[in-house]
Short mmCIF file of all heavy atoms in Angstrom, two decimals:
data_model
loop_
_atom_site.label_atom_id
_atom_site.label_comp_id
_atom_site.label_asym_id
_atom_site.label_seq_id
_atom_site.Cartn_x
_atom_site.Cartn_y
_atom_site.Cartn_z
N TYR A 1 -1.45 4.06 3.77
CA TYR A 1 -1.52 3.95 5.26
C TYR A 1 -3.00 3.86 5.70
O TYR A 1 -3.94 4.13 4.88
CB TYR A 1 -0.90 5.22 5.96
CG TYR A 1 0.60 5.27 5.91
CD1 TYR A 1 1.25 5.69 4.74
CD2 TYR A 1 1.35 5.10 7.13
CE1 TYR A 1 2.64 5.75 4.74
CE2 TYR A 1 2.69 5.15 7.11
CZ TYR A 1 3.38 5.51 5.89
OH TYR A 1 4.75 5.66 5.95
N ARG A 2 -3.13 3.43 6.87
CA ARG A 2 -4.57 3.43 7.47
C ARG A 2 -4.56 3.86 8.90
O ARG A 2 -3.46 3.63 9.63
CB ARG A 2 -5.23 2.05 7.27
CG ARG A 2 -4.62 0.97 8.09
CD ARG A 2 -5.20 -0.36 7.79
NE ARG A 2 -4.66 -1.46 8.52
CZ ARG A 2 -4.99 -2.79 8.36
NH1 ARG A 2 -5.85 -3.09 7.34
NH2 ARG A 2 -4.50 -3.70 9.12
N GLN A 3 -5.68 4.37 9.34
CA GLN A 3 -5.80 4.73 10.79
C GLN A 3 -7.22 4.36 11.32
O GLN A 3 -8.24 4.86 10.65
CB GLN A 3 -5.64 6.25 10.94
CG GLN A 3 -5.57 6.71 12.37
CD GLN A 3 -5.11 8.09 12.57
OE1 GLN A 3 -5.05 8.94 11.59
NE2 GLN A 3 -4.60 8.43 13.77
N ALA A 4 -7.24 3.49 12.21
CA ALA A 4 -8.50 3.05 12.77
C ALA A 4 -8.72 3.92 13.98
O ALA A 4 -7.86 4.57 14.57
CB ALA A 4 -8.37 1.58 13.22
N PRO A 5 -10.06 4.07 14.44
CA PRO A 5 -10.39 4.92 15.52
C PRO A 5 -9.64 4.57 16.82
O PRO A 5 -9.49 3.34 17.13
CB PRO A 5 -11.84 4.63 15.75
CG PRO A 5 -12.37 4.19 14.42
CD PRO A 5 -11.23 3.40 13.80
N GLY A 6 -9.00 5.58 17.40
CA GLY A 6 -8.22 5.37 18.69
C GLY A 6 -6.84 4.67 18.44
O GLY A 6 -6.09 4.49 19.39
N LYS A 7 -6.41 4.55 17.21
CA LYS A 7 -5.13 3.92 16.91
C LYS A 7 -4.30 4.86 16.11
O LYS A 7 -4.78 5.83 15.49
CB LYS A 7 -5.37 2.55 16.17
CG LYS A 7 -6.00 1.54 17.02
CD LYS A 7 -6.01 0.21 16.29
CE LYS A 7 -6.62 -0.88 17.16
NZ LYS A 7 -6.59 -2.21 16.49
N GLN A 8 -3.02 4.59 16.09
CA GLN A 8 -2.06 5.38 15.30
C GLN A 8 -2.17 4.99 13.86
O GLN A 8 -2.51 3.95 13.45
CB GLN A 8 -0.62 5.11 15.86
CG GLN A 8 -0.32 5.87 17.17
CD GLN A 8 1.19 5.74 17.53
OE1 GLN A 8 1.92 4.85 17.11
NE2 GLN A 8 1.62 6.72 18.35
N ARG A 9 -1.80 5.93 13.03
CA ARG A 9 -1.72 5.65 11.66
C ARG A 9 -0.61 4.66 11.32
O ARG A 9 0.55 4.76 11.93
CB ARG A 9 -1.41 6.95 10.84
CG ARG A 9 -1.62 6.86 9.29
CD ARG A 9 -1.57 8.15 8.60
NE ARG A 9 -2.63 9.04 9.12
CZ ARG A 9 -2.95 10.22 8.52
NH1 ARG A 9 -2.19 10.71 7.44
NH2 ARG A 9 -3.91 10.99 8.99
N GLU A 10 -0.87 3.67 10.52
CA GLU A 10 0.07 2.62 10.22
C GLU A 10 0.32 2.34 8.71
O GLU A 10 -0.66 2.55 7.95
CB GLU A 10 -0.26 1.30 10.98
CG GLU A 10 -1.60 0.78 10.40
CD GLU A 10 -1.98 -0.61 11.07
OE1 GLU A 10 -1.25 -1.06 11.96
OE2 GLU A 10 -3.03 -1.16 10.71
N LEU A 11 1.50 1.92 8.36
CA LEU A 11 1.80 1.56 6.96
C LEU A 11 1.07 0.31 6.60
O LEU A 11 1.13 -0.68 7.36
CB LEU A 11 3.30 1.48 6.72
CG LEU A 11 3.73 0.99 5.35
CD1 LEU A 11 3.39 2.11 4.30
CD2 LEU A 11 5.17 0.65 5.39
N VAL A 12 0.40 0.32 5.39
CA VAL A 12 -0.21 -0.85 4.97
C VAL A 12 0.63 -1.51 3.86
O VAL A 12 0.91 -2.68 3.84
CB VAL A 12 -1.61 -0.51 4.36
CG1 VAL A 12 -2.29 -1.82 3.65
CG2 VAL A 12 -2.56 0.04 5.38
N ALA A 13 1.09 -0.67 2.86
CA ALA A 13 1.92 -1.13 1.82
C ALA A 13 2.57 -0.01 1.14
O ALA A 13 2.07 1.08 1.11
CB ALA A 13 1.01 -1.92 0.75
N ASP A 14 3.69 -0.22 0.55
CA ASP A 14 4.30 0.83 -0.31
C ASP A 14 4.99 0.21 -1.54
O ASP A 14 5.12 -1.02 -1.63
CB ASP A 14 5.38 1.66 0.59
CG ASP A 14 6.52 0.81 1.09
OD1 ASP A 14 6.85 -0.23 0.52
OD2 ASP A 14 7.14 1.28 2.04
N ILE A 15 5.21 1.11 -2.53
CA ILE A 15 5.81 0.77 -3.74
C ILE A 15 6.74 1.73 -4.26
O ILE A 15 6.50 3.01 -4.10
CB ILE A 15 4.64 0.47 -4.80
CG1 ILE A 15 5.17 -0.07 -6.12
CG2 ILE A 15 3.86 1.69 -5.03
CD1 ILE A 15 4.03 -0.64 -6.98
N THR A 16 7.84 1.36 -4.67
CA THR A 16 8.93 2.21 -5.18
C THR A 16 8.73 2.57 -6.58
O THR A 16 7.90 2.10 -7.26
CB THR A 16 10.30 1.61 -4.93
OG1 THR A 16 10.43 0.52 -5.83
CG2 THR A 16 10.52 1.16 -3.53
N ARG A 17 9.54 3.53 -7.01
CA ARG A 17 9.53 3.93 -8.44
C ARG A 17 9.84 2.75 -9.37
O ARG A 17 9.24 2.68 -10.44
CB ARG A 17 10.53 5.04 -8.69
CG ARG A 17 10.56 5.55 -10.05
CD ARG A 17 11.70 6.55 -10.23
NE ARG A 17 11.50 7.72 -9.39
CZ ARG A 17 12.45 8.61 -9.07
NH1 ARG A 17 13.69 8.36 -9.67
NH2 ARG A 17 12.34 9.66 -8.35
N GLY A 18 10.63 1.82 -8.85
CA GLY A 18 10.91 0.59 -9.59
C GLY A 18 9.92 -0.54 -9.37
O GLY A 18 10.21 -1.64 -9.77
N SER A 19 8.84 -0.28 -8.66
CA SER A 19 7.73 -1.21 -8.40
C SER A 19 8.15 -2.26 -7.44
O SER A 19 7.56 -3.31 -7.43
CB SER A 19 7.26 -1.75 -9.68
OG SER A 19 6.60 -0.80 -10.49
N ASN A 20 9.08 -2.08 -6.57
CA ASN A 20 9.35 -2.93 -5.48
C ASN A 20 8.38 -2.65 -4.42
O ASN A 20 8.00 -1.50 -4.21
CB ASN A 20 10.73 -2.74 -4.94
CG ASN A 20 11.86 -3.16 -5.82
OD1 ASN A 20 11.82 -4.23 -6.43
ND2 ASN A 20 12.89 -2.27 -6.06
N THR A 21 7.83 -3.71 -3.78
CA THR A 21 6.67 -3.58 -2.86
C THR A 21 7.03 -4.03 -1.45
O THR A 21 7.90 -4.88 -1.26
CB THR A 21 5.43 -4.25 -3.36
OG1 THR A 21 5.75 -5.67 -3.54
CG2 THR A 21 4.95 -3.66 -4.69
N ASN A 22 6.27 -3.58 -0.54
CA ASN A 22 6.45 -4.01 0.85
C ASN A 22 5.11 -3.90 1.55
O ASN A 22 4.25 -3.00 1.22
CB ASN A 22 7.43 -2.94 1.59
CG ASN A 22 7.53 -3.25 3.00
OD1 ASN A 22 7.89 -4.33 3.45
ND2 ASN A 22 7.26 -2.27 3.85
N TYR A 23 4.83 -4.88 2.36
CA TYR A 23 3.46 -5.08 3.01
C TYR A 23 3.55 -5.17 4.55
O TYR A 23 4.52 -5.80 5.02
CB TYR A 23 2.71 -6.19 2.46
CG TYR A 23 2.39 -6.07 0.95
CD1 TYR A 23 3.25 -6.65 0.07
CD2 TYR A 23 1.22 -5.45 0.53
CE1 TYR A 23 2.98 -6.54 -1.33
CE2 TYR A 23 0.96 -5.39 -0.77
CZ TYR A 23 1.81 -5.86 -1.72
OH TYR A 23 1.58 -5.71 -3.11
N ALA A 24 2.64 -4.68 5.24
CA ALA A 24 2.57 -4.96 6.65
C ALA A 24 2.11 -6.37 6.78
O ALA A 24 1.43 -6.99 5.98
CB ALA A 24 1.41 -4.08 7.25
N ASP A 25 2.58 -7.11 7.90
CA ASP A 25 2.34 -8.47 8.06
C ASP A 25 0.81 -8.78 8.09
O ASP A 25 0.34 -9.86 7.60
CB ASP A 25 2.93 -8.95 9.42
CG ASP A 25 4.42 -9.09 9.34
OD1 ASP A 25 4.95 -9.06 8.15
OD2 ASP A 25 5.06 -9.09 10.40
N ALA A 26 0.06 -7.78 8.64
CA ALA A 26 -1.40 -8.06 8.78
C ALA A 26 -2.12 -8.14 7.43
O ALA A 26 -3.25 -8.73 7.42
CB ALA A 26 -2.05 -6.90 9.64
N VAL A 27 -1.59 -7.72 6.34
CA VAL A 27 -2.25 -7.67 5.06
C VAL A 27 -1.53 -8.61 4.03
O VAL A 27 -2.07 -8.68 2.89
CB VAL A 27 -2.38 -6.20 4.49
CG1 VAL A 27 -3.08 -5.41 5.59
CG2 VAL A 27 -1.10 -5.62 4.06
N LYS A 28 -0.42 -9.12 4.39
CA LYS A 28 0.34 -9.93 3.35
C LYS A 28 -0.54 -11.07 2.89
O LYS A 28 -1.22 -11.73 3.66
CB LYS A 28 1.66 -10.50 3.99
CG LYS A 28 2.73 -9.47 4.08
CD LYS A 28 4.05 -10.14 4.70
CE LYS A 28 5.15 -9.11 4.72
NZ LYS A 28 6.31 -9.69 5.41
N GLY A 29 -0.55 -11.29 1.58
CA GLY A 29 -1.37 -12.36 0.98
C GLY A 29 -2.70 -11.95 0.69
O GLY A 29 -3.51 -12.70 0.00
N ARG A 30 -3.23 -10.84 1.19
CA ARG A 30 -4.61 -10.34 0.98
C ARG A 30 -4.62 -9.03 0.15
O ARG A 30 -5.64 -8.86 -0.65
CB ARG A 30 -5.27 -10.15 2.32
CG ARG A 30 -5.37 -11.31 3.18
CD ARG A 30 -6.32 -11.15 4.35
NE ARG A 30 -5.72 -10.12 5.26
CZ ARG A 30 -6.46 -9.01 5.63
NH1 ARG A 30 -7.62 -8.76 5.17
NH2 ARG A 30 -5.95 -8.13 6.43
N PHE A 31 -3.69 -8.21 0.30
CA PHE A 31 -3.66 -6.88 -0.32
C PHE A 31 -2.54 -6.81 -1.34
O PHE A 31 -1.50 -7.35 -1.17
CB PHE A 31 -3.45 -5.79 0.64
CG PHE A 31 -4.55 -5.50 1.70
CD1 PHE A 31 -5.60 -6.39 1.81
CD2 PHE A 31 -4.56 -4.37 2.47
CE1 PHE A 31 -6.66 -6.10 2.65
CE2 PHE A 31 -5.55 -4.12 3.37
CZ PHE A 31 -6.60 -4.89 3.49
N THR A 32 -2.79 -6.12 -2.38
CA THR A 32 -1.77 -5.92 -3.45
C THR A 32 -1.75 -4.43 -3.85
O THR A 32 -2.73 -3.88 -4.22
CB THR A 32 -2.11 -6.75 -4.69
OG1 THR A 32 -2.19 -8.15 -4.31
CG2 THR A 32 -1.01 -6.52 -5.72
N ILE A 33 -0.52 -3.83 -3.71
CA ILE A 33 -0.31 -2.50 -4.20
C ILE A 33 0.28 -2.53 -5.57
O ILE A 33 1.10 -3.40 -5.93
CB ILE A 33 0.59 -1.71 -3.21
CG1 ILE A 33 0.56 -0.17 -3.62
CG2 ILE A 33 1.93 -2.33 -3.20
CD1 ILE A 33 1.29 0.64 -2.46
N SER A 34 -0.17 -1.49 -6.42
CA SER A 34 0.28 -1.51 -7.84
C SER A 34 0.24 -0.08 -8.24
O SER A 34 -0.38 0.72 -7.65
CB SER A 34 -0.42 -2.40 -8.75
OG SER A 34 -1.86 -1.98 -8.79
N ARG A 35 0.98 0.24 -9.37
CA ARG A 35 0.98 1.51 -9.90
C ARG A 35 0.81 1.51 -11.31
O ARG A 35 1.34 0.58 -12.02
CB ARG A 35 2.31 2.32 -9.50
CG ARG A 35 3.54 1.68 -9.92
CD ARG A 35 4.78 2.26 -9.20
NE ARG A 35 5.00 3.63 -9.66
CZ ARG A 35 5.68 4.50 -8.93
NH1 ARG A 35 6.25 4.17 -7.86
NH2 ARG A 35 5.83 5.70 -9.35
N ASP A 36 0.14 2.51 -11.90
CA ASP A 36 -0.01 2.68 -13.33
C ASP A 36 0.59 4.10 -13.65
O ASP A 36 -0.02 5.10 -13.45
CB ASP A 36 -1.44 2.68 -13.74
CG ASP A 36 -1.64 2.66 -15.27
OD1 ASP A 36 -0.82 3.23 -15.95
OD2 ASP A 36 -2.70 2.13 -15.72
N ASN A 37 1.85 4.09 -14.16
CA ASN A 37 2.52 5.39 -14.36
C ASN A 37 1.76 6.24 -15.43
O ASN A 37 1.77 7.45 -15.43
CB ASN A 37 4.01 5.12 -14.72
CG ASN A 37 4.76 4.62 -13.58
OD1 ASN A 37 4.49 4.83 -12.39
ND2 ASN A 37 5.86 3.91 -13.90
N ALA A 38 1.23 5.53 -16.42
CA ALA A 38 0.57 6.18 -17.49
C ALA A 38 -0.66 6.95 -17.02
O ALA A 38 -1.06 8.02 -17.58
CB ALA A 38 0.15 5.26 -18.63
N LYS A 39 -1.28 6.47 -15.96
CA LYS A 39 -2.56 7.10 -15.42
C LYS A 39 -2.20 7.90 -14.11
O LYS A 39 -3.10 8.43 -13.53
CB LYS A 39 -3.60 6.00 -15.11
CG LYS A 39 -4.10 5.34 -16.30
CD LYS A 39 -5.17 4.30 -15.93
CE LYS A 39 -5.74 3.69 -17.21
NZ LYS A 39 -6.83 2.71 -16.92
N ASN A 40 -0.93 7.93 -13.76
CA ASN A 40 -0.48 8.63 -12.57
C ASN A 40 -1.36 8.17 -11.29
O ASN A 40 -1.80 9.02 -10.48
CB ASN A 40 -0.63 10.10 -12.68
CG ASN A 40 0.35 10.61 -13.69
OD1 ASN A 40 1.48 10.13 -13.80
ND2 ASN A 40 -0.17 11.59 -14.50
N THR A 41 -1.59 6.89 -11.19
CA THR A 41 -2.46 6.28 -10.22
C THR A 41 -1.80 5.14 -9.63
O THR A 41 -1.16 4.33 -10.18
CB THR A 41 -3.74 5.91 -10.84
OG1 THR A 41 -4.38 7.05 -11.47
CG2 THR A 41 -4.69 5.35 -9.80
N VAL A 42 -2.01 5.02 -8.28
CA VAL A 42 -1.59 3.88 -7.42
C VAL A 42 -2.89 3.20 -6.95
O VAL A 42 -3.83 3.90 -6.54
CB VAL A 42 -0.65 4.23 -6.28
CG1 VAL A 42 -0.39 3.13 -5.35
CG2 VAL A 42 0.56 4.91 -6.82
N TYR A 43 -2.84 1.97 -6.84
CA TYR A 43 -4.00 1.11 -6.44
C TYR A 43 -3.77 0.31 -5.23
O TYR A 43 -2.48 -0.08 -5.00
CB TYR A 43 -4.47 0.22 -7.61
CG TYR A 43 -4.79 0.86 -8.89
CD1 TYR A 43 -3.85 0.99 -9.89
CD2 TYR A 43 -6.05 1.53 -9.09
CE1 TYR A 43 -4.20 1.61 -11.07
CE2 TYR A 43 -6.34 2.15 -10.22
CZ TYR A 43 -5.41 2.23 -11.21
OH TYR A 43 -5.65 2.90 -12.45
N LEU A 44 -4.65 -0.08 -4.51
CA LEU A 44 -4.62 -0.99 -3.40
C LEU A 44 -5.78 -2.01 -3.55
O LEU A 44 -6.90 -1.61 -3.32
CB LEU A 44 -4.63 -0.34 -2.10
CG LEU A 44 -4.39 -1.34 -0.90
CD1 LEU A 44 -2.97 -1.87 -0.94
CD2 LEU A 44 -4.72 -0.64 0.44
N GLN A 45 -5.49 -3.18 -4.01
CA GLN A 45 -6.51 -4.24 -4.14
C GLN A 45 -6.58 -4.91 -2.82
O GLN A 45 -5.59 -5.49 -2.34
CB GLN A 45 -6.18 -5.20 -5.28
CG GLN A 45 -7.13 -6.41 -5.44
CD GLN A 45 -8.44 -5.88 -5.86
OE1 GLN A 45 -8.60 -5.08 -6.78
NE2 GLN A 45 -9.50 -6.46 -5.24
#
């Protein structure tokens, strides 16, 4: 999620346990969410 000054917090992208992804329209095609289960880490490129 992200929150800009004076604005509400908004969803940027999410990823399920099965690695299905969903993106806000404002970031589609520019941002990529991914997960590395072995490292217990989620990334946002």
Side-chain angles (χ1 to χ4, degrees):
Y1 283 75
R2 68 186 181 187
Q3 187 167 19
K7 294 188 176 181
Q8 289 189 331
R9 192 172 297 189
E10 62 178 4
L11 176 67
V12 176
D14 62 23
I15 185 166
T16 66
R17 184 185 296 165
S19 294
N20 294 313
T21 59
N22 175 57
Y23 296 92
D25 287 343
V27 307
K28 280 181 181 177
R30 301 188 297 122
F31 290 12
T32 302
I33 189 171
S34 62
R35 60 192 292 160
D36 186 333
N37 292 334
K39 295 183 177 179
N40 295 323
T41 300
V42 173
Y43 303 98
L44 184 68
Q45 178 67 43

